[in-house]
Amino acid sequence: LTEHSAPMEDYIRHRSYRDFSARCVDTGALAGLLAKLRSVDINGSPKYLYASAGGLYPVQAYLYLKPDRCDDFKPGSYYFDPSTNDLVALRTDAPDIRDLYDPIINRPIFDRAAFALFLVVDLEAIASMYPEHALHYATLEAGHITQLLETTAPDLGLGLCQIGGLETADFADILKLGEHHLLLHGLLGGMLPEAGDSSPADAVDASSDRDEGEI
């Protein structure tokens, strides 16, 4: 099977990026990344680029933009509407979320990042069909989404790092979550650094072999 192995470049590119450029996020790159999560109508049914148990798609994507890191959008929190491929502003007062990240491993990555992505399940949207396995299937869906985003990002000049240890209650007001919402997973991202780029925060060891931040 050796001759059919994936190119080595695929292995190198599919990694966690914990070092980001201080440049503002390119709006086209960010739009291209989120567009992978949009739905299209095929024969009267919404279709996505990832699987979902029962075709319910209860996992929602939210974006947080840090101040002065994107020229075309105000800093703050947004909901990504997959049906319209639009960002819906939730809060544009850019609440500080730095302290919500683990100070030893995750906070230094946050300091370098330009944005954060959050995957949130609406349990009410899946529990009626899968009352005993709703969380399990939603977690699998979040994994499909994460894989899709991570394999897409480098082609757009973006890097992503998976981040765990995030509590739903801490982000409920920032993301305008309801009682049936549960924060499943998070990612931090930004433009990949180029030669001569300066970083907005203290150095993070980008050569580490860890595949994510603190999970």
Side-chain angles (χ1 to χ4, degrees):
L1 299 178
T2 304
E3 64 273 18
H4 299 292
S5 298
M8 184 59 65
E9 181 183 358
D10 290 354
Y11 289 90
I12 296 173
R13 288 166 62 82
H14 184 67
R15 54 177 292 268
S16 290
Y17 294 88
R18 291 175 289 279
D19 190 17
F20 307 104
S21 171
R23 293 178 294 125
C24 287
V25 173
D26 180 80
T27 305
L30 185 59
L33 182 68
L34 293 173
K36 292 295 183 179
L37 306 183
R38 71 174 300 184
S39 63
V40 298
D41 186 273
I42 298 179
N43 298 325
S45 299
K47 297 296 181 183
Y48 294 72
L49 293 178
Y50 55 90
S52 177
L56 298 175
Y57 297 97
V59 178
Q60 305 166 343
Y62 294 79
L63 171 72
Y64 173 86
L65 283 173
K66 293 170 65 176
D68 302 317
R69 301 308 301 274
C70 184
D71 291 334
D72 296 320
F73 287 94
K74 293 181 179 180
S77 57
Y78 296 83
Y79 164 71
F80 176 71
D81 188 335
S83 63
T84 62
N85 198 35
D86 285 329
L87 287 173
V88 179
L90 300 174
R91 289 186 59 173
T92 54
D93 56 349
D96 187 5
I97 64 173
R98 182 176 186 268
D99 290 344
L100 302 181
Y101 287 81
D102 165 74
I104 304 301
I105 296 177
N106 294 344
R107 198 172 297 167
I109 304 173
F110 175 84
D111 288 341
R112 283 179 171 259
F115 62 86
L117 291 170
F118 304 99
L119 301 180
V120 175
V121 60
D122 180 355
L123 288 172
E124 193 173 42
I126 187 174
S128 59
M129 183 176 289
Y130 300 107
E132 297 181 1
H133 303 290
L135 181 57
H136 174 71
Y137 290 149
T139 302
L140 289 175
E141 183 174 327
H144 297 324
I145 293 173
T146 299
Q147 177 76 7
L148 178 60
L149 294 175
E150 283 193 330
T151 54
T152 299
D155 290 333
L156 299 169
L158 296 169
L160 295 174
C161 182
Q162 297 184 50
I163 297 293
L166 305 178
E167 299 296 333
T168 302
D170 291 338
F171 291 88
D173 182 60
I174 297 166
L175 303 180
K176 301 301 181 184
L177 303 181
E179 62 177 321
H180 299 292
H181 286 120
L182 182 66
L183 176 55
L184 295 175
H185 201 32
L187 301 99
L188 291 172
M191 301 299 295
L192 293 176
E194 297 177 348
D197 273 343
S198 59
S199 290
D202 293 334
V204 175
D205 182 9
S207 65
S208 170
D209 289 334
R210 292 195 308 272
D211 286 332
E212 63 283 311
E214 181 75 14
I215 297 292

